[in-house]
């Protein structure tokens, strides 16, 4: 007897998987047994819980973008589905299906954490609940489940949050879009996108919590409770005294550089083209970098002089203009210089480089709590090269594409 073709084996496997999900749903939620339907008659095999008037909430595998995902689909065509990766445990999938259907049966909101497409309570779901209780519109929560559908069901796009984004909550205010992040290396961040200037800014959390600006981005998780973060957000945009990043090209030059024709230590003095594009002058480059460091939340950086263009009481800032990538030994050497630069306590290291960095060197930089940024000499823009520096950067979310309707 010939072995069945691959497509038949795959179909049988999917059928058996759905049968196991059906049984898990019946075992975990026997009170809805009469509403459970496993439909394998259509091309889109699905498990559903019937509601009323022919409506239902369904669980199915759906092609979205370049991948296939699990979707819990509400009956409303203009609502966004709940999206889960294919390796999600079966009990999580059937509990998500049950939570969505139960809310519609009872006429109540989907219970937390399921309403945020999360299977376990976390700092992020707790924060989302608190903000929702303040009548703020929570648009997205990312913690255990990093997969999200952007937009309504009939035109949903898959978005998978990167590890450097940490866990986060996205909130829509009347006059701004806000992302509250909790990142492994630097802690809490509150980033605000202001549509009027089409730019990101960062809330001085330490200043609002304790009245003292932090020298580095972020507030450690152990030093601020979820309720305290919610209280800061509740104050709103007008109370945050926001420093908005308007972009390197629009920043003004430092006063001490006006009229001077000097180069930065380690950087060329001319503005010769790079890949056919004009390289910024040292004055322009310094200004662009200074603007971004301050907007990121490096609270004690200040304008220096020709020899040390950007200074900090906490950080030793090294300008590194080389073709060769930074090695571990080079980062160790620079970290030693940073430690020795402190008058009473060792300074931490910030490296601004026009090259790259090896993976071991980046790992060492993280261990040393250093920040390593690539500097684009044609724009002055910074890009994090180690995880701590990447965490300090702006979200890559485009708020204009994030429009969603809550369940």
């Amino acid at each position: 007897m010939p072995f069945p073709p691959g497509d038949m084996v795959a179909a049988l496997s999917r059928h058996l998987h759905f049968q196991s999900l059906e049984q898990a749903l019946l075992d975990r939620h026997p009170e809805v047994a009469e509403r459970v339907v496993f439909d394998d008659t259509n091309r889109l095999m699905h498990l559903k819980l019937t509601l009323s008037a022919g409506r239902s909430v369904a669980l199915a595998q759906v092609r979205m973008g370049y991948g296939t995902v699990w979707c819990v689909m509400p009956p409303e065509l203009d609502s966004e589905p709940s999206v889960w990766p294919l390796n999600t445990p079966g009990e999580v999938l059937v509990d998500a299906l049950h939570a969505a259907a139960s809310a519609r049966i009872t006429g109540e909101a989907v219970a937390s954490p399921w309403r945020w497409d999360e299977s376990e309570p976390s700092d992020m779901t707790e924060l989302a609940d608190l903000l929702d209780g303040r009548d703020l519109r929570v648009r997205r929560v990312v913690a255990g489940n990093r997969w999200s559908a952007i937009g309504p069901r009939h035109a949903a796009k898959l978005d998978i949050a990167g590890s450097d984004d940490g866990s986060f909550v996205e909130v829509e205010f009347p006059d701004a879009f806000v992302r509250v992040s909790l990142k492994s290396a630097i802690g809490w961040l509150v980033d605000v996108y202001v549509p009027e200037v089409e730019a990101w800014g960062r809330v001085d959390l330490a200043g609002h919590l304790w009245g003292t600006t932090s020298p580095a981005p972020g507030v450690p998780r152990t030093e601020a409770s979820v309720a305290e973060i919610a209280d800061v957000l509740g104050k709103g945009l007008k109370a945050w005294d926001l420093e908005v990043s308007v972009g390197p090209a629009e920043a003004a030059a430092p006063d001490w550089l006006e009229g001077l024709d000097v180069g930065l230590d380690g950087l060329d003095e001319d503005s010769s083209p790079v890949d056919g594009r004009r390289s910024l002058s040292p004055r322009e480059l310094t200004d662009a970098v200074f603007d971004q460091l301050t907007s990121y939340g490096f609270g004690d950086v200040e304008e220096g002089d020709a020899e040390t263009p950007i200074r900090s009481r906490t950080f030793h800032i090294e300008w590194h203009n080389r073709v060769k990538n930074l090695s571990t030994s080079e980062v160790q050497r620079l970290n030693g210089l940073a430690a020795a630069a402190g008058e009473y306590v060792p300074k931490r290291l910030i490296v601004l480089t026009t090259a790259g960095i090896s993976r071991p060197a980046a790992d060492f930089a993280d261990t040393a709590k250093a920040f390593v940024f690539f500097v684009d000499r044609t724009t002055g823009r910074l890009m994090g090269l180690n995880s701590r520096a990447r965490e300090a950067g702006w979200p890559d979310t485009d708020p204009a594409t994030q429009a969603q309707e809550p369940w």
Side-chain angles (χ1 to χ4, degrees), residues 5 64 181 189 275 322 372:
M64 188 174 292
S181 308
L189 289 175
D275 295 332
R322 303 288 188 274
V372 183

Side-chain angles (χ1 to χ4, degrees), residues 31-87:
E31 75 280 3
V32 296
E34 294 182 354
R35 298 177 181 271
V36 177
V37 176
F38 169 34
D39 188 344
D40 63 348
T41 59
N42 298 317
R43 183 178 180 182
L44 183 63
M45 196 179 299
H46 60 274
L47 180 66
K48 64 183 180 181
L49 283 172
T50 59
L51 304 176
S52 60
R55 300 163 68 246
S56 64
V57 178
L59 171 67
Q61 288 186 4
V62 175
R63 185 78 178 176
M64 188 174 292
Y66 296 102
T68 300
V69 299
W70 284 107
C71 278
V72 177
M73 298 178 289
E76 302 86 10
L77 289 176
D78 60 347
S79 63
E80 74 276 11
S82 173
V83 174
W84 303 81
L86 288 181
N87 61 355

Side-chain angles (χ1 to χ4, degrees), residues 62 65 119 121 140 157 167 196 218 257 267 316 319 375 378 404:
V62 175
S119 62
R140 186 183 182 194
K157 296 180 180 179
S167 301
E196 290 183 6
L257 274 175
L267 293 179
H316 175 69
W319 297 81
V375 184
T378 64
Q404 300 180 20

Side-chain angles (χ1 to χ4, degrees), residues 81 117 178 206 226 265 272 282 297 311 319 321 350 366 392 399 402 407:
D117 297 345
V178 177
V226 174
D265 184 23
S272 56
R311 297 186 296 203
W319 297 81
N321 184 36
I350 294 176
D366 287 329
Q402 301 291 306
W407 281 26

